Amino acid sequence: MDFLGRDVISIKELSKDEITSILSFAKKMVPYAKGEQQTTILQDKVLSVLFFEPSTRTRLSFESAMNRLGGRVIGFADPSGTSQKKGESLADTIRMADSYSDAIVLRHPQEGAARLSAEFATHPVINAGDGAGQHPTQTLLDLFTIKTEKKKIEGQNVVLLGDLKYGRTAHSLAYALAFFGANLTFVSPESLRMPKEVVSECKEFGVEPVNTSHLDKAIKEADVLYVTRIQKERFPDPEEYNKVMGSYRVTCELLKNGKEDLIVMHPLPRVTEIDPEVDATPHALYFKQAFNGVPVRMALLALIFGRKTL
Amino acid sequence: MKELKITPIKEGTVIDHITAGNAVKVLHILKIPETTTSVVSVVINVASRIGKKDIVKIENRELDPKELNKIALIAPKATINIIRDFEVVKKSKVQLPREVFGILKCPNPTCISNAREPIESRFYVISDDPPRIRCYYCEREPEDVVDRII
């Protein structure tokens, strides 16, 4: 399996074997991600981290991943200090970053921005989220979290909850979970149902997702409850947002109806959808999930630079 | 004897076997009448062996491949006849390529292909008849292909 020089734009471009191999390498990265062991396998590499949209976890975990591997990071977290402000095209910004570094990580508000960047860059481009489009490393870390906690993905009963219409995380994850043979239940308000195209993709893998509005029933058989935020910024009509805001809230009371080893995940940031009292329960996996972004991104970075061993 | 509804042309292009009712859309795609001062004849709902069809005859103009691709998007069964001195010198069926460049606009306002970037729009053709396309950049699949033609 050769990842050397590969762009990582969409989870759909990775085969099952490739994903499995990234996850296996990520497992080996955990002690390095925690700082318990040290490595300098990327000491000769510079990574551009270009964030045109706000981010906490994705940006910091990419930077941490590169630093933990001994590499260096350049970039920005806010485009207002760059020539974009003067009207420079994304293509030109990418050409510059490409000449200053060995790979580019890009977060951008417009769908297809990473695909465009990959056309103009000679070095690998990793998509760190393009508008409502793809966010492949989030999907990889979600799969890694489920696999680490549940030992396998196939056959797990996974409930996806919240904004399934606009949430890019939910779309990519549903695809990937179906790809690996998980059983899927989609819980959302009527107006925020999973798009038909995503449901069709799941069916192509032989998975028949269940659509429901009833979380209390869906949670009973769940092994994984994946909660997503209802994203105000993706609603064209504020009135629609007000109608569905706060429609689901995960509480300790609700979790009493679930399995003892049910895990609750969330890509974060959360607002009101998970009660803070859940944080102290063994169900709460979201902070560990956020940490998992570091070993997974370390594995991916090492692999695209052709480093397969530590 | 069969009566000809319109006469043969001396030089130009005859687009035959257009899906009945789509001739006007073909004119729209070819930006006719804005792009030509020659005679253009349009026949709609002509009876043929395989049912009704439309025909467009454009005098003094030979279509280039980019224009043919556009026609294939709305009339996948069309045939193109290039006429020189009343003879058909070339006859071909329109064929959609696997990708089309620069002839469609993505309907997604937040697609990067609609930003001020040095790129052409680019779509994968995922089905020929009826034509279905997917934006190479944002991966959306526009429902009405005709409305997306630039």
Side-chain angles (χ1 to χ4, degrees), chain A residues 194-242:
Chain A
M194 189 66 91
K196 270 187 277 178
E197 309 89 75
V198 181
V199 176
S200 303
E201 280 177 338
C202 295
K203 287 182 178 174
E204 280 171 27
F205 296 124
V207 173
E208 285 288 336
V210 176
N211 267 302
T212 176
S213 305
H214 303 290
L215 176 60
D216 48 344
K217 286 182 190 159
I219 205 170
K220 285 183 182 155
E221 296 302 315
D223 299 302
V224 178
L225 173 62
Y226 195 99
V227 189
T228 63
R229 177 170 63 96
I230 304 215
Q231 302 175 84
K232 192 175 183 178
E233 64 271 27
R234 306 269 182 232
F235 274 78
D237 180 0
E239 200 50 40
E240 278 299 304
Y241 172 74
N242 292 334

Side-chain angles (χ1 to χ4, degrees), chain A residues 135-180:
Chain A
H135 192 0
T137 59
Q138 178 69 47
T139 308
L140 287 171
L141 78 90
D142 291 340
L143 293 176
F144 180 75
T145 303
I146 295 171
K147 191 154 191 236
T148 305
E149 297 303 316
K150 298 292 182 184
K151 308 301 171 221
K152 60 174 187 169
I153 298 165
E154 188 185 353
Q156 299 295 328
N157 296 325
V158 182
V159 174
L160 297 186
L161 169 71
D163 171 10
L164 306 185
K165 183 177 177 183
Y166 298 107
R168 64 182 167 204
T169 305
H171 301 168
S172 303
L173 184 61
Y175 167 90
L177 288 170
F179 192 35
F180 278 90

Side-chain angles (χ1 to χ4, degrees), chain A residues 76-91:
Chain A
F76 52 83
D78 177 356
S80 62
T82 72
S83 288
Q84 286 271 319
K85 200 76 183 163
K86 301 172 192 164
E88 185 173 63
S89 67
L90 174 63

